[in-house]
mmCIF file of all heavy atoms in Angstrom:
data_model
loop_
_atom_site.group_PDB
_atom_site.id
_atom_site.type_symbol
_atom_site.label_atom_id
_atom_site.label_comp_id
_atom_site.label_asym_id
_atom_site.label_seq_id
_atom_site.Cartn_x
_atom_site.Cartn_y
_atom_site.Cartn_z
ATOM 1 N N PRO A 92 129.894 54.875 287.279
ATOM 2 C CA PRO A 92 130.631 55.999 286.698
ATOM 3 C C PRO A 92 129.922 57.284 287.030
ATOM 4 O O PRO A 92 128.753 57.405 287.683
ATOM 5 C CB PRO A 92 130.293 55.669 285.209
ATOM 6 C CG PRO A 92 129.146 54.989 285.079
ATOM 7 C CD PRO A 92 129.073 54.121 286.392
ATOM 8 N N PHE A 93 130.685 58.377 286.743
ATOM 9 C CA PHE A 93 130.230 59.701 287.047
ATOM 10 C C PHE A 93 128.997 60.243 286.293
ATOM 11 O O PHE A 93 128.353 61.035 286.650
ATOM 12 C CB PHE A 93 131.307 60.683 286.827
ATOM 13 C CG PHE A 93 131.742 60.889 285.388
ATOM 14 C CD1 PHE A 93 131.177 62.009 284.489
ATOM 15 C CD2 PHE A 93 132.557 60.056 284.765
ATOM 16 C CE1 PHE A 93 131.412 62.141 283.198
ATOM 17 C CE2 PHE A 93 132.862 60.159 283.492
ATOM 18 C CZ PHE A 93 132.439 61.247 282.704
ATOM 19 N N ALA A 94 128.624 59.645 285.198
ATOM 20 C CA ALA A 94 127.555 60.177 284.455
ATOM 21 C C ALA A 94 126.808 58.956 283.593
ATOM 22 O O ALA A 94 127.500 57.924 283.279
ATOM 23 C CB ALA A 94 128.056 61.139 283.437
ATOM 24 N N GLU A 95 125.587 59.235 283.384
ATOM 25 C CA GLU A 95 124.818 58.092 282.597
ATOM 26 C C GLU A 95 125.027 58.547 281.050
ATOM 27 O O GLU A 95 124.194 59.316 280.570
ATOM 28 C CB GLU A 95 123.341 58.152 282.925
ATOM 29 C CG GLU A 95 123.146 57.620 284.391
ATOM 30 C CD GLU A 95 123.553 56.035 284.540
ATOM 31 O OE1 GLU A 95 123.348 55.343 283.598
ATOM 32 O OE2 GLU A 95 124.050 55.772 285.650
ATOM 33 N N THR A 96 126.014 57.994 280.528
ATOM 34 C CA THR A 96 126.213 58.339 279.078
ATOM 35 C C THR A 96 126.562 56.952 278.333
ATOM 36 O O THR A 96 126.947 55.984 278.869
ATOM 37 C CB THR A 96 127.511 59.129 278.864
ATOM 38 O OG1 THR A 96 128.687 58.543 279.391
ATOM 39 C CG2 THR A 96 127.444 60.519 279.535
ATOM 40 N N LYS A 97 126.442 57.032 277.053
ATOM 41 C CA LYS A 97 126.620 55.860 276.230
ATOM 42 C C LYS A 97 128.118 55.476 276.328
ATOM 43 O O LYS A 97 128.492 54.282 276.406
ATOM 44 C CB LYS A 97 126.197 55.946 274.763
ATOM 45 C CG LYS A 97 126.316 54.864 273.869
ATOM 46 C CD LYS A 97 125.905 55.187 272.485
ATOM 47 C CE LYS A 97 126.211 53.920 271.592
ATOM 48 N NZ LYS A 97 125.875 54.265 270.211
ATOM 49 N N GLU A 98 128.932 56.347 276.193
ATOM 50 C CA GLU A 98 130.387 56.034 276.077
ATOM 51 C C GLU A 98 130.993 56.448 277.471
ATOM 52 O O GLU A 98 130.666 57.479 278.066
ATOM 53 C CB GLU A 98 131.097 56.747 275.011
ATOM 54 C CG GLU A 98 130.516 56.224 273.604
ATOM 55 C CD GLU A 98 131.328 56.981 272.486
ATOM 56 O OE1 GLU A 98 131.381 58.308 272.606
ATOM 57 O OE2 GLU A 98 131.703 56.233 271.420
ATOM 58 N N GLN A 99 131.886 55.578 277.967
ATOM 59 C CA GLN A 99 132.543 55.904 279.280
ATOM 60 C C GLN A 99 134.137 55.904 278.997
ATOM 61 O O GLN A 99 134.583 55.259 278.265
ATOM 62 C CB GLN A 99 132.282 54.670 280.227
ATOM 63 C CG GLN A 99 130.697 54.679 280.573
ATOM 64 C CD GLN A 99 130.229 55.800 281.341
ATOM 65 O OE1 GLN A 99 131.132 56.409 282.175
ATOM 66 N NE2 GLN A 99 128.921 56.054 281.392
ATOM 67 N N MET A 100 134.776 56.655 279.946
ATOM 68 C CA MET A 100 136.129 56.764 279.874
ATOM 69 C C MET A 100 136.827 55.341 280.283
ATOM 70 O O MET A 100 136.571 54.831 281.167
ATOM 71 C CB MET A 100 136.670 57.899 280.856
ATOM 72 C CG MET A 100 138.067 58.243 280.733
ATOM 73 S SD MET A 100 138.385 59.680 281.697
ATOM 74 C CE MET A 100 140.139 59.600 281.869
ATOM 75 N N ALA A 101 137.670 54.947 279.372
ATOM 76 C CA ALA A 101 138.330 53.518 279.442
ATOM 77 C C ALA A 101 139.756 53.669 279.733
ATOM 78 O O ALA A 101 140.344 52.831 280.305
ATOM 79 C CB ALA A 101 138.108 52.599 278.256
ATOM 80 N N GLY A 102 140.306 55.016 279.469
ATOM 81 C CA GLY A 102 141.715 55.154 279.682
ATOM 82 C C GLY A 102 142.099 56.641 279.527
ATOM 83 O O GLY A 102 141.202 57.337 279.146
ATOM 84 N N PHE A 103 143.264 56.922 279.684
ATOM 85 C CA PHE A 103 143.833 58.323 279.337
ATOM 86 C C PHE A 103 145.142 58.363 279.010
ATOM 87 O O PHE A 103 145.879 57.363 279.267
ATOM 88 C CB PHE A 103 143.575 59.156 280.746
ATOM 89 C CG PHE A 103 144.499 58.752 281.758
ATOM 90 C CD1 PHE A 103 145.839 59.502 281.976
ATOM 91 C CD2 PHE A 103 144.380 57.607 282.658
ATOM 92 C CE1 PHE A 103 146.802 59.194 282.892
ATOM 93 C CE2 PHE A 103 145.382 57.333 283.548
ATOM 94 C CZ PHE A 103 146.553 57.960 283.771
ATOM 95 N N ASP A 104 145.642 59.443 278.381
ATOM 96 C CA ASP A 104 146.920 59.713 278.033
ATOM 97 C C ASP A 104 147.187 61.171 278.273
ATOM 98 O O ASP A 104 146.242 61.970 278.153
ATOM 99 C CB ASP A 104 147.253 59.424 276.595
ATOM 100 C CG ASP A 104 147.232 57.882 276.370
ATOM 101 O OD1 ASP A 104 148.271 57.256 276.815
ATOM 102 O OD2 ASP A 104 146.293 57.291 275.836
ATOM 103 N N ILE A 105 148.388 61.613 278.743
ATOM 104 C CA ILE A 105 148.730 62.919 278.940
ATOM 105 C C ILE A 105 149.875 63.235 277.918
ATOM 106 O O ILE A 105 150.894 62.432 277.864
ATOM 107 C CB ILE A 105 149.202 63.057 280.360
ATOM 108 C CG1 ILE A 105 148.010 62.886 281.244
ATOM 109 C CG2 ILE A 105 149.794 64.570 280.511
ATOM 110 C CD1 ILE A 105 148.408 63.019 282.801
ATOM 111 N N LEU A 106 149.617 64.281 277.187
ATOM 112 C CA LEU A 106 150.624 64.646 276.149
ATOM 113 C C LEU A 106 151.175 65.976 276.515
ATOM 114 O O LEU A 106 150.424 66.826 277.009
ATOM 115 C CB LEU A 106 149.982 64.689 274.684
ATOM 116 C CG LEU A 106 149.204 63.396 274.194
ATOM 117 C CD1 LEU A 106 148.696 63.655 272.872
ATOM 118 C CD2 LEU A 106 150.170 62.182 274.229
ATOM 119 N N GLU A 107 152.413 66.314 275.984
ATOM 120 C CA GLU A 107 152.837 67.599 275.840
ATOM 121 C C GLU A 107 153.238 67.923 274.433
ATOM 122 O O GLU A 107 154.086 67.355 273.816
ATOM 123 C CB GLU A 107 154.008 67.897 276.787
ATOM 124 C CG GLU A 107 154.570 69.252 276.944
ATOM 125 C CD GLU A 107 155.304 69.496 278.235
ATOM 126 O OE1 GLU A 107 155.408 68.799 279.013
ATOM 127 O OE2 GLU A 107 155.571 70.784 278.252
ATOM 128 N N CYS A 108 152.457 68.853 273.924
ATOM 129 C CA CYS A 108 152.416 69.204 272.466
ATOM 130 C C CYS A 108 152.573 70.685 272.333
ATOM 131 O O CYS A 108 152.270 71.418 273.230
ATOM 132 C CB CYS A 108 151.152 68.786 271.783
ATOM 133 S SG CYS A 108 150.893 66.971 271.856
ATOM 134 N N ALA A 109 153.050 71.006 271.107
ATOM 135 C CA ALA A 109 153.154 72.435 270.823
ATOM 136 C C ALA A 109 151.842 73.102 270.611
ATOM 137 O O ALA A 109 151.871 74.431 270.768
ATOM 138 C CB ALA A 109 154.093 72.571 269.496
ATOM 139 N N SER A 110 150.854 72.367 270.229
ATOM 140 C CA SER A 110 149.538 73.090 269.944
ATOM 141 C C SER A 110 148.472 72.042 270.128
ATOM 142 O O SER A 110 148.571 70.889 270.181
ATOM 143 C CB SER A 110 149.446 73.674 268.645
ATOM 144 O OG SER A 110 149.559 72.536 267.670
ATOM 145 N N MET A 111 147.127 72.583 270.106
ATOM 146 C CA MET A 111 145.975 71.702 270.070
ATOM 147 C C MET A 111 145.967 71.013 268.761
ATOM 148 O O MET A 111 145.592 69.767 268.748
ATOM 149 C CB MET A 111 144.659 72.633 270.187
ATOM 150 C CG MET A 111 143.374 71.797 270.092
ATOM 151 S SD MET A 111 143.104 70.615 271.360
ATOM 152 C CE MET A 111 142.188 71.555 272.569
ATOM 153 N N ASP A 112 146.310 71.536 267.705
ATOM 154 C CA ASP A 112 146.347 70.896 266.432
ATOM 155 C C ASP A 112 147.245 69.533 266.528
ATOM 156 O O ASP A 112 146.874 68.606 266.086
ATOM 157 C CB ASP A 112 146.846 71.723 265.250
ATOM 158 C CG ASP A 112 145.894 72.850 264.884
ATOM 159 O OD1 ASP A 112 144.631 72.801 265.474
ATOM 160 O OD2 ASP A 112 146.192 73.870 264.328
ATOM 161 N N GLU A 113 148.472 69.759 267.101
ATOM 162 C CA GLU A 113 149.316 68.563 267.146
ATOM 163 C C GLU A 113 148.625 67.525 268.016
ATOM 164 O O GLU A 113 148.586 66.359 267.789
ATOM 165 C CB GLU A 113 150.640 68.937 267.727
ATOM 166 C CG GLU A 113 151.552 67.721 267.932
ATOM 167 C CD GLU A 113 152.907 68.094 268.437
ATOM 168 O OE1 GLU A 113 153.037 69.124 269.053
ATOM 169 O OE2 GLU A 113 153.868 67.299 268.298
ATOM 170 N N ALA A 114 147.989 67.920 269.162
ATOM 171 C CA ALA A 114 147.364 66.958 270.042
ATOM 172 C C ALA A 114 146.236 66.231 269.388
ATOM 173 O O ALA A 114 146.005 65.116 269.485
ATOM 174 C CB ALA A 114 146.893 67.613 271.342
ATOM 175 N N VAL A 115 145.494 66.974 268.602
ATOM 176 C CA VAL A 115 144.292 66.421 267.837
ATOM 177 C C VAL A 115 144.953 65.382 266.759
ATOM 178 O O VAL A 115 144.337 64.318 266.530
ATOM 179 C CB VAL A 115 143.509 67.448 267.215
ATOM 180 C CG1 VAL A 115 142.531 66.903 266.124
ATOM 181 C CG2 VAL A 115 142.759 68.222 268.229
ATOM 182 N N GLU A 116 145.998 65.815 266.147
ATOM 183 C CA GLU A 116 146.587 64.904 265.122
ATOM 184 C C GLU A 116 147.038 63.546 265.801
ATOM 185 O O GLU A 116 146.804 62.538 265.225
ATOM 186 C CB GLU A 116 147.702 65.609 264.535
ATOM 187 C CG GLU A 116 148.501 64.780 263.584
ATOM 188 C CD GLU A 116 149.846 65.457 263.081
ATOM 189 O OE1 GLU A 116 150.014 66.636 263.227
ATOM 190 O OE2 GLU A 116 150.844 64.629 262.647
ATOM 191 N N ILE A 117 147.630 63.532 266.975
ATOM 192 C CA ILE A 117 148.043 62.368 267.662
ATOM 193 C C ILE A 117 146.811 61.655 268.098
ATOM 194 O O ILE A 117 146.736 60.422 268.042
ATOM 195 C CB ILE A 117 149.011 62.833 268.806
ATOM 196 C CG1 ILE A 117 150.207 63.186 268.149
ATOM 197 C CG2 ILE A 117 149.244 61.591 269.737
ATOM 198 C CD1 ILE A 117 151.150 63.927 269.216
ATOM 199 N N ALA A 118 145.723 62.388 268.601
ATOM 200 C CA ALA A 118 144.554 61.616 269.010
ATOM 201 C C ALA A 118 143.916 60.920 268.032
ATOM 202 O O ALA A 118 143.415 59.802 268.118
ATOM 203 C CB ALA A 118 143.672 62.695 269.684
ATOM 204 N N ALA A 119 143.883 61.389 266.746
ATOM 205 C CA ALA A 119 143.294 60.837 265.498
ATOM 206 C C ALA A 119 144.142 59.562 265.197
ATOM 207 O O ALA A 119 143.420 58.591 264.550
ATOM 208 C CB ALA A 119 143.268 61.831 264.265
ATOM 209 N N LEU A 120 145.263 59.332 265.548
ATOM 210 C CA LEU A 120 146.027 58.181 265.364
ATOM 211 C C LEU A 120 145.861 57.067 266.299
ATOM 212 O O LEU A 120 146.080 55.890 266.092
ATOM 213 C CB LEU A 120 147.465 58.466 265.316
ATOM 214 C CG LEU A 120 148.164 59.506 264.299
ATOM 215 C CD1 LEU A 120 149.545 59.835 264.527
ATOM 216 C CD2 LEU A 120 147.944 58.882 262.841
#
Side-chain angles (χ1 to χ4, degrees):
F93 66 95
E95 294 294 326
T96 62
K97 181 179 176 185
E98 293 178 318
Q99 297 292 335
M100 190 168 157
F103 73 94
D104 289 283
I105 298 173
L106 306 180
E107 185 148 2
C108 298
S110 66
M111 174 64 90
D112 288 341
E113 182 182 18
V115 167
E116 177 186 340
I117 293 167
L120 297 173

